[in-house]
Structures are given as C-alpha cells and as structure tokens.
Amino acid sequence: MIMKTRMTELLGIEYPIMQGGMQHLGVPELAAAVSEAGGLGTINVTIYPNPEDLRKAIRAVKEKTSKPFAVNISLIPSLRPGKELFDQVAVILEEGVPAVETAGASPQELADVLNAHKDQVKWIHKAACVKHAKKAESMGADLITMAGYEVAGHPHTDGVGTMVLSNRTAREVKVPVLAAGGIADGRGLLAALSLGCEGIVMGTRFVASKECWIHQNHKDWIVNAAENETTLCQKSIRNMVRVADNDAAKKCLEMEAKGASLEELMSVISGKKGKAAYENGDVNSGLFAVGPACGLIHEIQSCKEIIDGIMAEAEQELARLNGIYAK
C-alpha cells in the first residue's frame, strides 16, 4: 500500500511512521531498521553527549541504510543550551542528517540555526499542548509531533489524550501534525489520519521489536501487559513521566507521597539504574518508560514486520470503513 501524506513528501519516506526518540534505545541499529522498512528512524542525542561520538553514530546509520532518518534533541527545561549542544547540532548539519526532532523545553535557542538550514534539514518539534505547538510553528518548525497523555516518557500535566490533542492541533496549525501516544497498529494510523494528522510517532511498539537492544524480559513485559499497567511518577519534582507500573515505580510513588527530595528519589529514578535494568533484564529495578499502547502489542516482530503489518491493517480497515457507506 502506497500512502502519500505531507509527512512522507517532506521527509522523503515511504510510510507516515516515525520512531520516537526513546532514551537509551534510540541507537543506529534500531533507527536504520525503521528507516530501511520505510519509516523514519531516530537516534537520540542524549546517548552521544560527545559530538564526535554522535558523528560516529550518524555514520553508523548511514552504513546500514541510505534512507532518511532523524536525530532527536531533548532540551532540558529551565536550562539554557550549552556549547556542547550547539556542537552536536553542528555535527548533525555537517553530516547531512535529513531531519531533527526537538523535544522538552522551548526550541527558541536552536530556531535560528535550524531555520538557516531549511534547505538541508527538516525540523520536527514535539509538543504536548496546543499552545506550544503554535509557538513552535511560529518559530519555524516544519512539522509538529503532538504527544498525548498516553505517551511513554513525559506527557503534559494537562492530561489531554491524543484523540483530542492531535485533532485540535491539526485544525489550528498549518504545518503537518504527527500524532503520538497510544498508537501501535494500522487502526491507530488510520485514526490519526482521519483526525487531520499526516502521520504517527511510535515508541512502545518499537521497543518490542527484534532490533531494539533492550533485554528480552522487557520486551516480554510489553507483550504480556495490559493497557492499564502503566503509571505516572515524578509529579512531585515537576518532571512527570509515564512508566511501567513495576516495583521501581511503586517505590518512587511511595517516596514521593512521603515528601522525598530529588536527591533521595535518584536512588530509584536515576537514568543509570534504568539503563542497567534494560541491560540485565530486571524489569523491576528501574523505571521503564512505556505507554498503554502495550495493551495493543501481542508479539515481538522486526521493524519491517511491524511497519508492513501496520500498513496492511490500515488498508484493510480503510476498505471496511468505505463499505459502511450505503451505495
């Protein structure tokens, strides 16, 4: 099934499907597999804080695929971007990366440099409320990802779901909108398109892929989990995160209820603990970013199988919907 949207046209990809940034997991092997399958793969800059390591990662993607891919840049709220970030952006531009996704804080600091290279790189900004989407559009973003309350990682505290958020944003901005949060199959893609979006972004679905390096135990957790087995932590430190409702999450919530400080919480929520758990397979020893889309995921497949399956189901469901109308 060939599907053309403003997303596929702008980014030069076959299917309107993007891999999320996926902290710790957005590495060349996964990104290349998604891109090679016709979507837009993504590597995460936080994995490569040294600009030269980032350059090696970008080149590693290029060795595995000649198709477009993106680099995700997570901006830390309340902190001005330092020289290191601008050095990383310089590497991205020098290496000819086709797309950049900014997320987190306002991308204002990077707007000038990204806008100055519009002929070279497409700028996607991930927002979690309509106000921020409009602001990013006014700064020059080429596409907007709308992250609904269902997203793994950091949803907005407003609590607005993907259906309403992406629907309204697609009506109120002129640039293409990508829906994120709670999407893992062809029905989700078709729903997003019907809301006026031009594509989708998936994270949890690609965690449960053969190419993702995370431990098999974590993939099995996703396959066996129901949609109500995620929870929201870190509200007390104003950095709310959606994660698996595992022992680490329960401990975090218990400590927060008792007024624990950030320093105390770090014994449970630190990125190092989470990454170590990803490596050793202890699904309870660290926070595990995952969304309720896990309830829609029933097997571990290759990225190509995932994307091909989504496109086939979307075509099937579109035919079903077309059949609803009376002749």
Side-chain angles (χ1 to χ4, degrees), residues 71-75 100-104 107 110 114 123-127:
V71 174
N72 170 276
I73 299 174
S74 296
L75 302 165
V100 166
E101 180 190 49
T102 54
L110 297 180
L114 293 175
W123 173 19
I124 307 164
H125 181 68
K126 181 186 287 184

Side-chain angles (χ1 to χ4, degrees), residues 1 21 46 64 84 114 147 159 180 183 202 249 256 276 292 297-298 321:
M1 179 184 184
T46 60
K64 299 175 186 298
E84 182 182 84
L114 293 175
I183 301 172
M202 301 189 303
E256 288 188 82
I297 301 168
H298 307 299
L321 293 175

Side-chain angles (χ1 to χ4, degrees), residues 72-127:
N72 170 276
I73 299 174
S74 296
L75 302 165
I76 301 174
S78 79
L79 290 181
R80 292 178 64 86
K83 179 179 181 298
E84 182 182 84
L85 179 58
F86 287 98
D87 288 344
Q88 290 168 329
V89 172
V91 167
I92 290 168
L93 295 172
E94 288 166 10
E95 292 297 321
V97 175
V100 166
E101 180 190 49
T102 54
S106 169
Q108 181 68 62
E109 300 282 353
L110 297 180
D112 287 347
V113 66
L114 293 175
N115 286 328
H117 294 85
K118 274 190 174 295
D119 59 333
Q120 176 185 338
V121 62
K122 298 304 178 187
W123 173 19
I124 307 164
H125 181 68
K126 181 186 287 184

